[in-house]
Amino acid sequence: MSRLILYMAMSLDGFITGPGDDKGNPAGVGGMRLQEWLGDGGPEVADFRPSDAQSQIVFDEMLSTGAVITGRRTGDFVDYWGGDHHDGVPIFVPTHTAPADNRHARVHFVTEGIEACVEQAKAAAGDRDVMLHGAYTAQECLKAGLLDVLEIQLMPVLLGQGRLLFEGLPPEHIELDLVRTLEAPGVLHLRYEVRRG
Amino acid sequence: MTGPIRLYMSMSLDGFITGPNDREGHGLGDNGGRLFNWLDDRMSTGPSGQVFRELMATGAVIAGRRTFELADRWQGDHHDGVPVHVLTHHADDGDVPPGNTRFFTDVVACATEARAAAGDRAVMVHGAGAAQALLRAGQLDELEIHLVPVLLGAGRRLFEATDARHIELQLVRRLEDRDVTHLRYRVLRFA
């Protein structure tokens, strides 16, 4: 059974970017600090594999997902990773209006709402999980009760400013269960399951 | 050897330390009590009991004025009669706080006095305002965050947007118990 899993690196003060994030600087000012749990990077996604064994567990799980959902904003900023986040799995983007020219065969813009988007991604993923990336889309999924798991890379830093991961949620509590903690140098991996009902 | 100045705060994963509508007589806000379920285990021999005993062994308290007033001034005694240092923008001459309590308008003076009063014990900080002021002044040494597995959705945040200076932390201890993860961070430096 496919689950929808949010993967986000967050500072202790709740930010996922520095201030002033835009197309030229998707991470915002100083926001790359949050990506330091990853490897140094390179042309291939595998070049970002962390050196720490605990972090590798999370990274490998992330790259074994069978589909990706990302927000329009995040996706546009990074040009949908050139149309391939990892292994050529399909990328689904909830949006109000699909762009006139979609240059990426594996990127699907879904205009029928967040529920339809998740449904299509899960169907494409088969028995694998779906990776979700992006704050606004995460909030929409939380509000719609569609998110199953949050995998947070909690970074030991206070950024002070930027884009918050959790914003605009209703005041009804969403209860979580902490199901796994992996501690690596410079990052704490917290895996929460969203409690239903 | 003086002890550290250490913040103690319960926080939801989405960063809130109270529910919405916190006010006098309603200090935790709507349903903010959710963040303190872990205190049910405060007398236990487990991690939450340990953290609570450490908190109660601190040798002085620093609080912001808002927290102090919402807590009804702790009737002059937070625990064991240790001195309470209250940060405020303004103290009226005629307003003498109860017990072993003093108002401070200067953050560094407040921290210095609290360290001296605590001796080799830690100083406990409580409240978002005091934490922010001490952080900005470079006077906060550690953060003990009781991270609660819930998204409150609304309320008062521990960390409000401030200036863009990064503050690097180091996770020095992690204790897990029922309904809470106690994370102790050391403040390293301004990046």
Side-chain angles (χ1 to χ4, degrees):
Chain A
M1 174 86 174
S2 180
R3 294 167 303 171
L4 181 61
I5 305 180
L6 174 70
Y7 287 90
M8 290 303 278
M10 181 179 88
S11 64
L12 183 65
D13 52 352
F15 296 107
I16 56 159
T17 71
D21 59 322
D22 59 23
K23 202 171 173 67
N25 185 10
V29 177
M32 286 308 286
R33 172 68 185 87
L34 300 179
Q35 304 308 320
E36 286 180 12
W37 72 281
L38 293 165
D40 289 339
E44 304 298 325
V45 68
D47 298 327
F48 291 90
R49 193 167 191 256
S51 56
D52 180 85
Q54 303 291 295
S55 290
Q56 284 174 354
I57 293 172
V58 174
F59 184 81
D60 293 348
E61 286 172 350
M62 186 171 82
L63 293 197
S64 67
T65 52
V68 173
I69 295 177
T70 187
R72 181 74 185 269
R73 179 183 169 86
T74 304
D76 278 351
F77 279 0
V78 299
D79 191 29
Y80 303 91
W81 301 281
D84 181 13
H85 184 273
H86 64 273
D87 294 340
V89 303
I91 298 170
F92 294 86
V93 185
T95 185
H96 296 294
T97 315
D101 58 330
N102 175 10
R103 298 179 293 110
H104 304 301
R106 285 176 296 232
V107 176
H108 308 279
F109 294 91
V110 181
T111 56
E112 297 91 359
I114 190 68
E115 239 163 286
C117 182
V118 171
E119 201 174 298
Q120 290 176 29
K122 282 189 172 179
D127 55 2
R128 293 188 287 172
D129 291 323
V130 175
M131 169 188 171
L132 170 62
H133 193 69
Y136 178 76
T137 308
Q139 293 154 20
E140 292 300 296
C141 288
L142 276 167
K143 281 190 269 194
L146 297 168
L147 191 63
D148 300 303
V149 176
L150 296 85
E151 181 78 48
I152 304 292
Q153 298 96 50
L154 191 64
M155 301 297 289
V157 65
L158 303 175
L159 285 190
Q161 284 184 47
R163 191 168 294 274
L164 287 166
L165 176 52
F166 300 108
E167 237 185 338
L169 294 173
E172 290 79 36
H173 297 180
I174 298 173
E175 289 287 341
L176 310 171
D177 287 306
L178 180 64
V179 294
R180 187 180 71 184
T181 308
L182 298 173
E183 198 174 329
V187 61
L188 184 65
H189 300 281
L190 299 170
R191 189 178 184 87
Y192 295 94
E193 287 178 3
V194 179
R195 210 180 281 179
R196 304 292 187 194
Chain B
M1 174 80 188
T2 60
I5 296 185
R6 183 187 299 140
L7 175 69
Y8 282 91
M9 289 304 279
S10 294
M11 183 177 88
S12 64
L13 181 65
D14 54 348
F16 294 106
I17 55 169
T18 71
N21 306 313
D22 62 323
R23 60 182 183 275
E24 213 169 317
H26 191 57
L28 307 181
D30 300 345
N31 301 313
R34 171 64 187 89
L35 297 177
F36 303 95
N37 289 358
W38 69 271
L39 283 172
D40 290 349
D41 293 322
R42 68 186 178 279
M43 306 308 282
S44 79
T45 55
S48 286
Q50 179 189 338
V51 170
F52 187 74
R53 283 191 298 279
E54 289 170 353
L55 183 158
M56 297 301 280
T58 53
V61 173
I62 298 176
R65 182 70 181 269
R66 180 184 169 83
T67 298
F68 180 63
E69 300 297 350
L70 284 182
D72 204 13
R73 299 188 167 193
W74 291 304
Q75 283 87 46
D77 183 13
H78 184 277
H79 65 274
D80 294 340
V82 303
V84 177
H85 300 64
V86 179
L87 274 169
T88 184
H89 294 294
H90 175 79
D92 287 321
D93 286 342
D95 185 2
V96 180
N100 198 357
T101 303
R102 280 173 61 193
F103 286 129
F104 287 86
T105 53
D106 184 273
V107 181
V108 175
C110 178
T112 304
E113 294 276 325
R115 283 185 206 275
D120 58 359
R121 293 188 288 172
V123 176
M124 171 192 170
V125 180
H126 197 64
Q132 292 287 1
L134 289 162
L135 266 173
R136 275 197 301 272
Q139 293 290 333
L140 193 66
D141 302 310
E142 293 181 349
L143 297 83
E144 180 90 40
I145 303 293
H146 321 295
L147 190 65
V148 178
V150 66
L151 302 175
L152 283 195
R156 186 171 297 274
R157 289 186 185 275
L158 176 53
F159 301 105
E160 289 292 345
T162 53
D163 52 43
R165 278 198 301 181
H166 291 191
I167 299 174
E168 287 290 331
L169 310 171
Q170 182 186 8
L171 181 65
V172 293
R173 192 179 72 175
R174 174 173 59 87
L175 298 174
E176 288 185 26
D177 205 341
R178 184 172 63 150
D179 210 33
V180 67
T181 304
H182 303 281
L183 299 173
R184 180 177 292 182
Y185 290 94
R186 185 173 296 145
V187 179
L188 294 183
R189 62 187 162 83
F190 291 100

